[in-house]
Each structure stands twice: as C-alpha cells, then as structure tokens.
C-alpha cells in the first residue's frame, strides 16, 4: 500500500510520498476578502497585505479555540489548493501527521473537512512519535515544534523498541512570526538610528525586510554579522547588524523555548533534543541549548515527519471499521538519513563537585557525611532545617550524598526538587554553580566550590 502523508505543521505544512517531501510551506493564505483566490499561499505578501491573509486558521481548527466557520472554510480551501499542486495518485491512502497541540476535537473537525472533500484518510500519526521512531535510537527524546504562533515540546519514551508519546507542553510565545517581528523591530531601530529611514512605515519595504530575515539570521549565525538593506525608489538603505544583536533581541523567546525543554527533561538525564533545522540555525539559540549537559541535539528538516510516515507499515482500514486511528506508539525504524547530531554541554563534564551549599546567608559544608534538607526539626548538625509554611517543601525534602569524588542529590519530596529548572527523578549528579530549588514555588539553594575543591578545579586541563 502506498501512503500519501500530510504534516499539519503551520510553519511548514508538508506533503510527502515514498519517503520524499514533495512540498513544504507556511500555512499563510489569502482569505478572499480582497479579491485574491482564498486558500492560496500568501507568505510572500504577509507584511505587505496583512489584513487579507490568515495565519491562524489551521491552529484554530486543530485546537478548537473559538473556531469559526471561516477558519474551517479557509483550511478546506488551503487543502484543495495544495492538493491541486500535488494530487493524490490513484489507489493512495492518506495518513495525517498531527502536531503536538492538536486535540481530539480538533482532529475530529479536520476529519470532517477531509470527508467533505472526499479524501481517503485512514488515520492520524503523532508528529513527535513518528519523528522519534524514524531516528532509530533507543534514547528517550524531547521533540520541539516551532509553529507560526506557538512553540511546543513533546516527551517521547523509547522502550521495547517502540517510541511512545508521553507528555506535551506548549507556550504561545516562541512562534516564528513573533521571532521575526522582534528582528524586524531590530532592523527598523538600527536603520532609524543610522539613516533616519524606518522600513516599517512602508508596506513594501517592510515586506522586503521580512523576506530577508531568514537569510540575515543565517548569515549572522555563520559569520557573526549581516547587512540588512531595502530599496526605496532608486535609493538603497543599509544597516549592519551583529550576531549578538540578533541573539539579544530574541532572548525572551529563546527563554520560553528552553523553558519547555526544562519542563520535560528529568534533571541530569541524557535525552535526544530534536529540533527543526531552522531552529538549529537561529543566532544564539544553539548556545542556550548548551545547558542541557549530556544530551544529544538532533536537527531534522522540514517535512521529516511526513516523509517518515509515508514509509511506515500502517494498518489498513477494515470494511466494517468506521473508526479512524490516532497512532501515538510506533516501532523504531532504521536510522533515517538527513539528520544532524551533536553533543551538548561537553564543557560541563568533569566540573568540580560543590564543597558548600548556601542557604539564608550561611554556607553549609558538603563533607563526607550526608546533608539532609527539609522542614522537619532535627538536632543533627547535618540537617538544614527550613521554616514551616514554605509551599511545596517536604519535612524531609532531599539529601546530598557523596558518590566517590562526586556529589549526588537524592529527592524524597512530594512536590519535587529541581536542578537548574529541571525536576529530579530520584537522583542526579550535581556540580558547583548549580541552582537547586525545593518545591513550587519553593526556595532556592546555591552550590559553590571553595578552598581545595575550587583550587583543584582551576588546575584541570
């Protein structure tokens, strides 16, 4: 059986067949209000004619948040336009790759649209699960989804030679359009300071800058600088920008993205962090990801999940089976080509173990004896007693113990212990400079290395 795969990523709406991506483009379409053909791609006119273009209809249908008939009609017309360019072959069946934020009600609405169009849809495949399965690794993964107006991360467990979606978190920050907007503002501010010309006050020049943003960001990542330029009549206006300027402007968005990954990664646990190639090339984001010590960074091309789905051995529908499947557990496949892998946080390995923990202005020694932290009263000098009434702090919350030359934190709590924002799963190795938070919102401890430990660290090659 041949499969035709549709990947409903609004940043990179993709179609694939036989393991090849046929087309991939943002879900930005004309809405028909200004005489343009509704449903046709309008990405290259997004800033010049924003009132005639929709970028939220796909997300509205998939999440069913105040969905309107207009959104459903626009998605149907977009599907028709895309399938007119890449028609389904005779005998092909369709499997749809569902993004992280799609809910059951949204997929039901989408299925209704597909059936009105007469499309032979056999089922849905979870995007994160099929992406992880196609990597062919038994390492657990966190798959980042970068949409037009959101970012999401999904934890996928790999056990028993299968990839199984576990949990998804998302934020309305971190979308590509918001990211491009902060860089548009950066270019505008820089041009105004240097030339007194504001490209955002003219729709034509604003569109020029918007279209140039991907290339400018990529150049800044690779060379450290880029020059933005626009043409107004016969005049050419330019402004030089540095990589650091791009990175600093995007800092709040990067924080939101990294925060999603921290929510899903158990502290100190090595996982594969899977991101789109576009995200891997954003100036400054790669450095932010270095904090995920011991993890592998895997970047995949747009349409990767659709291509992988088109090669799956999927169940065929039965004649009396009216149900449509949603597959969130898939067998691991042979490792796919076209992915980039690299290690993160190598500089942290071999770092010094802490010698003291700071709390309430006092430094408590982390010597050979274990040190317990909690609200419970204790006469032991190896116990840090925290005040009653602290939200999320247990009576015996955690313990610092030595394991050879290294220090390990053991979590005993109900509401969790977090190291650098990541929740500890039973135990984790810790280093000087780590921040330990007890409970939610809880209290924070700081780990430091002083004396002989710090001196030994400075002597390491």
């Amino acid at each position: 059986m041949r499969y035709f795969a549709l990947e409903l990523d609004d940043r990179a709406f993709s179609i694939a067949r036989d393991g090849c991506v046929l087309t991939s483009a943002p879900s930005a379409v004309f809405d028909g209000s200004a005489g343009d053909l509704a449903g046709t791609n309008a990405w290259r006119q997004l800033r010049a004619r924003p009132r005639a273009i929709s970028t939220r209809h796909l997300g509205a249908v998939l999440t069913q948040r105040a969905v309107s008939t207009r959104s459903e009609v626009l998605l149907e017309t977009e599907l028709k336009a895309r399938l007119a360019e890449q028609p389904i072959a005779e005998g092909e069946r369709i499997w749809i790759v569902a993004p992280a934020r799609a809910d059951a009600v949204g997929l039901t609405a989408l299925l209704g649209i597909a059936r009105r169009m007469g499309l032979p849809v056999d089922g849905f495949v979870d995007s994160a699960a099929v992406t992880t399965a196609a990597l062919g690794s038994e390492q657990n993964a966190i798959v980042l989804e970068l949409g037009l107006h959101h970012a999401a991360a999904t934890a996928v467990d790999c056990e028993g030679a299968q990839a199984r979606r576990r949990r998804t978190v998302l934020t309305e920050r971190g979308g590509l359009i918001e990211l491009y907007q902060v860089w548009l503002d950066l270019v505008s501010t820089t041009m105004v300071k240097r030339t007194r010309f504001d490209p955002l006050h003219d729709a034509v020049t604003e569109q020029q800058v918007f279209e140039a943003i991907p290339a400018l960001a990529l150049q800044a990542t690779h060379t450290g600088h880029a020059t933005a330029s626009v043409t107004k009549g016969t005049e050419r206006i330019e402004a030089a920008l540095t990589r650091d300027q791009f990175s600093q402007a995007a800092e709040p968005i990067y924080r939101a993205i990294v925060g999603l990954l921290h929510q899903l990664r158990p502290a100190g646990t090595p996982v594969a962090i899977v991101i789109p190639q576009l995200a891997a090339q954003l100036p400054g984001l790669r450095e932010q990801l270095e904090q995920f010590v011991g993890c592998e960074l895997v970047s995949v091309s747009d349409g990767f999940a659709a291509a992988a789905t088109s090669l799956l051995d999927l169940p065929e529908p039965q004649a009396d089976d009216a149900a449509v499947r949603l597959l969130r557990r898939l067998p691991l496949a042979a490792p796919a080509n076209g992915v980039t892998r690299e290690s993160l946080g190598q500089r942290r390995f071999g770092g010094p173990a802490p010698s003291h923990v700071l709390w309430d202005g006092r430094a408590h020694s982390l010597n050979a004896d274990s040190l317990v932290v909690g609200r419970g009263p204790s006469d032991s000098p190896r116990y840090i007693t925290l005040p009653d009434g602290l939200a999320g702090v247990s009576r015996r919350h955690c313990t610092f113990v030595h394991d050879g030359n290294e220090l390990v934190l053991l979590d005993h709590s109900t509401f969790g212990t977090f190291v650098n924002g990541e929740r500890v799963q039973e135990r984790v190795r810790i280093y000087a400079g780590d921040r330990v938070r007890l409970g939610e919102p809880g209290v924070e401890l700081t780990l430091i290395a002083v004396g002989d430990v710090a001196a030994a660290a400075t002597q390491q090659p």
Side-chain angles (χ1 to χ4, degrees):
M1 175 67 71
R2 299 179 64 197
Y3 295 111
F4 189 85
L6 300 176
E7 183 176 349
L8 301 184
D9 179 346
D10 63 2
R11 181 189 59 80
F13 191 131
S14 304
I15 297 176
R17 171 191 289 130
D18 296 330
C20 297
V21 178
L22 304 178
T23 181
S24 183
S27 180
V29 299
F30 287 113
D31 62 11
S33 62
D36 304 284
L37 184 61
T40 54
N41 192 274
W43 182 252
R44 295 182 65 84
Q45 293 292 316
L46 183 61
R47 307 305 297 212
R49 303 174 58 195
R51 295 184 180 180
I53 296 170
S54 171
T55 58
R56 295 184 180 271
H57 56 285
L58 176 54
V61 172
L62 291 177
T63 60
Q64 289 293 293
R65 295 179 182 176
V67 67
S68 62
T69 301
R70 173 181 177 273
S71 293
E72 292 196 356
V73 169
L74 276 177
L75 180 53
E76 183 173 345
T77 56
E78 180 180 11
L79 281 169
K80 288 178 178 177
R82 289 180 181 270
L83 294 178
E85 296 177 355
Q86 299 292 339
I88 303 169
E90 183 177 353
E92 279 187 324
R93 306 294 297 180
I94 294 177
W95 280 80
I96 297 176
V97 181
R101 63 176 179 161
D103 59 29
V105 177
L107 293 180
T108 300
L110 177 63
L111 184 60
I113 293 172
R115 285 177 170 167
R116 287 199 300 271
M117 295 173 61
L119 300 178
V121 176
D122 284 356
F124 299 95
V125 176
D126 180 77
S127 177
V130 71
T131 296
T132 304
L135 295 176
S137 170
E138 295 185 358
Q139 187 175 38
N140 291 345
I142 300 174
V143 181
L144 176 68
E145 175 181 296
L146 180 63
L148 290 181
H149 298 283
H150 77 285
T154 302
V156 181
D157 289 344
C158 294
E159 53 187 18
Q162 288 192 325
R164 177 176 64 87
R165 168 179 165 150
R166 182 166 58 84
R167 179 187 171 211
T168 293
V169 292
L170 59 88
T171 175
E172 297 303 320
R173 297 221 63 182
L176 187 70
I177 287 180
E178 181 186 8
L179 181 62
Y180 281 8
Q181 182 61 55
V182 300
W183 287 339
L184 276 171
D185 293 339
L186 170 64
V187 171
S188 171
T189 300
T190 305
M191 280 193 173
V192 168
K193 286 181 178 179
R194 298 177 183 176
T195 69
R196 297 187 179 182
F197 176 76
D198 187 352
L200 304 191
H201 282 180
D202 181 273
V204 174
T205 54
E206 182 174 345
Q207 182 66 37
Q208 289 180 34
V209 177
F210 182 81
E211 291 182 16
I213 287 293
L216 291 172
L218 184 61
Q219 184 180 5
T221 296
H222 292 316
T223 69
H225 55 83
T227 300
S229 64
V230 295
T231 302
K232 180 69 172 177
T234 59
E235 185 180 6
R236 181 181 176 87
I237 302 100
E238 296 184 343
L241 300 158
T242 69
R243 181 179 179 280
D244 288 343
Q245 285 178 291
F246 278 95
S247 180
Q248 290 169 9
E251 177 68 22
I253 297 173
Y254 290 169
R255 268 202 311 271
I257 292 172
V258 169
L260 296 177
L261 302 177
H262 275 305
Q263 289 183 56
L264 294 179
R265 183 207 178 197
T269 303
V271 298
I273 297 177
V274 186
I275 65 176
Q277 283 183 354
L278 179 144
Q281 297 169 347
L282 297 176
L285 181 58
R286 175 64 177 76
E287 287 71 19
Q288 294 273 356
L289 297 177
E290 277 293 318
Q291 63 192 272
F292 294 97
V293 179
C295 291
E296 181 183 40
L297 182 65
V298 182
S299 54
V300 298
S301 57
D302 290 342
F304 181 85
T309 299
S310 70
L311 294 175
L312 291 176
D313 183 14
L314 295 165
E316 296 186 19
Q318 302 299 315
D320 58 348
D321 186 5
V324 172
R325 298 173 176 85
L326 169 57
L327 304 181
R328 291 184 169 179
R329 185 194 299 261
L330 293 162
L332 299 181
N337 297 321
V339 301
T340 302
R341 302 173 184 266
E342 52 187 315
S343 297
L344 292 173
Q346 290 295 318
R347 65 177 183 271
R348 282 288 308 278
F349 288 118
S355 62
H356 293 76
V357 57
L358 300 181
W359 159 248
D360 196 25
R362 293 184 57 193
H364 300 264
S365 174
L366 294 168
N367 56 32
D369 297 326
S370 61
L371 177 67
V372 181
V373 184
R375 291 188 296 105
S378 175
D379 295 330
S380 170
R382 304 303 299 161
Y383 198 107
I384 299 178
T385 302
L386 303 177
D388 281 331
L390 292 176
V393 178
S394 299
R395 294 180 64 82
R396 185 171 180 268
H397 198 98
C398 65
T399 303
F400 295 98
V401 298
H402 280 273
D403 181 5
N405 294 326
E406 295 172 330
L407 194 72
V408 173
L409 184 149
L410 306 178
D411 178 43
H412 321 296
S413 67
T414 300
F415 296 102
T417 303
F418 303 81
V419 175
N420 301 325
E422 298 175 341
R423 184 161 184 167
V424 175
Q425 301 295 319
E426 297 184 1
R427 60 185 284 144
V428 65
R429 184 177 300 166
I430 51 178
Y431 301 88
D434 284 343
R435 291 172 292 103
V436 177
R437 178 164 53 84
L438 313 184
E440 183 65 54
V443 297
E444 188 169 287
L445 313 176
T446 301
L447 302 175
I448 62 172
V450 296
D452 294 341
V453 172
T458 63
Q459 296 172 8
Q460 290 182 359

